[in-house]
């Protein structure tokens, strides 16, 4: 396995390849993304440990979505069971769960940092323990905690971006996968900047489209009703594109799917 450096323009290609692959199997990829969201949501509402379990399983589900992308890219229909393909064998399961524990620890440290700013209000809202009100959103402390969390989540994302695929397909040890993921993101930061700008533009276009549609219908309150399904569709395409960032950043063997 060799780390590769790609030109900035590859960021656009990653996004386009994700979109093309998504539209090869739109029903399957949309259904799998909704299943992923539903599982995380259900786990998160379980009392006491639900949120922690959801965090631990996030890398496994991410690897499952990448496996589904590979299947769709090959022109085949990914089945629902593909979502937990990273947990099928005992060896893979233990490695992925270790990676998940590392992710959960990193995320909770991030939430802890935000709590130092606003006493934990943002963390309680984000983790589903407290209702969100206009007064809370407009609070200076809440907004400071939110921006701090976003700033800290960027390096956390870089550390874990490639890790699920490296652990699942290349049997890289979880801790070592974090180092490789960070280096891949850092060495290809120009391509990732283009990649994220493309997806920001796609989401912005979806938002504008929802506003225009609501205006034509003569009901501004419908904007959110139109935007939500569009946003979920864009999110599903975004997750579909993640596999191609891994394939370009590493010279590795093709994923072998069960």
């Amino acid at each position: 396995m060799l780390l590769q450096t790609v030109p900035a323009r590859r960021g656009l290609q990653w996004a386009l390849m994700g979109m093309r692959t998504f539209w090869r199997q739109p029903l399957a990829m949309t259904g799998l993304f909704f299943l992923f969201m539903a599982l995380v949501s259900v786990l998160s509402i379980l009392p006491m440990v639900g949120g922690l379990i959801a965090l631990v399983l996030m890398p496994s589900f991410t690897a499952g979505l990448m496996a589904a992308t590979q299947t769709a890219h090959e022109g085949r229909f990914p089945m629902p069971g593909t979502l937990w393909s990273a947990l099928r064998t005992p060896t893979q399961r233990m490695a992925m769960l270790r990676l998940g524990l590392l992710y959960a620890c990193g995320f909770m440290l991030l939430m802890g940092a935000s709590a130092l700013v606003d006493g934990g209000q943002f963390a309680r809202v984000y983790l589903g323990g407290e209702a969100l009100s206009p007064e809370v959103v407009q609070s200076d402390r809440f907004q400071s905690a939110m921006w701090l969390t976003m700033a800290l989540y960027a390096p956390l994302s870089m550390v874990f971006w490639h890790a699920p695929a490296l652990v699942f397909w290349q049997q890289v040890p979880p801790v070592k996968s974090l180092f490789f993921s960070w280096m891949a993101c850092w060495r290809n930061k120009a391509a990732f900047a283009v990649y994220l700008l493309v997806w920001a533009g796609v989401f912005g276009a979806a938002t504008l489209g929802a506003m225009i549609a609501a205006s034509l219908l003569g009901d501004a309150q419908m904007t959110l009703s139109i935007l939500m399904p569009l946003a979920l569709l864009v999110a599903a395409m975004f997750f579909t594109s993640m596999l191609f960032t891994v394939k370009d950043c590493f010279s590795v063997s093709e994923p072998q799917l069960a």
Side-chain angles (χ1 to χ4, degrees):
M1 183 184 72
L2 296 175
L3 180 60
Q4 300 184 135
T5 304
V6 299
R9 64 178 179 274
R10 288 300 295 173
L12 173 61
Q13 293 302 312
W14 294 339
L16 293 176
M17 289 172 72
M19 294 177 196
R20 285 196 292 265
T21 301
F22 175 87
W23 288 109
R24 286 182 182 179
Q25 298 287 351
L27 292 178
M29 296 308 298
T30 301
L32 281 167
F33 179 72
F34 284 177
L35 178 60
F36 161 68
M37 294 292 291
L39 288 172
V40 171
S41 298
V42 169
L43 287 170
S44 297
I45 63 176
L46 295 176
M48 301 298 293
V49 297
L52 180 61
I53 294 173
L55 289 171
V56 170
L57 291 176
M58 281 290 287
S60 300
F61 289 155
T62 301
L65 287 173
M66 289 186 185
T69 300
Q70 178 66 24
T71 300
H73 186 63
E74 294 170 355
R76 297 182 288 120
F77 188 91
M79 301 302 291
T82 309
L83 189 61
W84 42 85
S85 56
L87 299 171
R88 284 177 180 165
T89 67
T91 302
Q92 285 180 342
R93 188 181 307 123
M94 289 303 298
M96 293 303 301
L97 291 179
R98 288 193 196 101
L99 183 65
L101 283 171
L102 291 171
Y103 178 75
C105 289
F107 192 87
M108 296 310 293
L109 285 173
L110 186 151
M111 288 289 106
S114 75
L116 296 176
V117 176
D118 70 346
Q121 190 169 51
F122 176 80
R124 291 192 297 273
V125 169
Y126 190 90
L127 297 173
E130 186 174 301
L132 186 62
S133 66
E135 293 77 14
V136 170
V137 173
Q138 294 170 11
S139 166
D140 290 340
R141 295 178 65 194
F142 181 88
Q143 291 190 14
S144 296
M146 179 185 68
W147 286 111
L148 175 64
T149 301
M150 291 176 64
L152 292 177
Y153 193 73
L156 184 68
S157 295
M158 292 171 68
V159 168
F160 283 91
W161 187 268
H162 301 89
L166 295 176
V167 173
F168 177 33
W169 281 310
Q170 303 303 320
Q171 291 76 54
V172 176
V175 174
K176 187 179 288 188
S177 75
L178 304 183
F179 172 75
F180 287 143
S181 180
W182 171 268
M183 290 302 300
C185 289
W186 182 253
R187 288 183 58 174
N188 292 289
K189 54 185 176 294
F192 274 100
V194 172
Y195 172 75
L196 294 175
L197 284 172
V198 170
W199 283 114
V202 172
F203 184 79
T207 303
L208 180 61
M211 293 172 65
I212 293 173
S215 177
L216 291 174
L217 292 171
D219 187 356
Q221 294 183 349
M222 290 189 65
T223 301
L224 188 59
S225 299
I226 299 171
L227 178 60
M228 284 303 295
L230 283 176
L232 290 172
L233 185 68
V234 172
M237 288 191 287
F238 173 78
F239 272 86
T240 303
S241 70
M242 289 178 65
L243 175 67
F244 303 104
T245 69
V246 178
K247 284 187 169 186
D248 260 10
C249 290
F250 295 93
S251 176
V252 296
S253 59
E254 283 290 304
Q256 299 297 312
L257 305 181

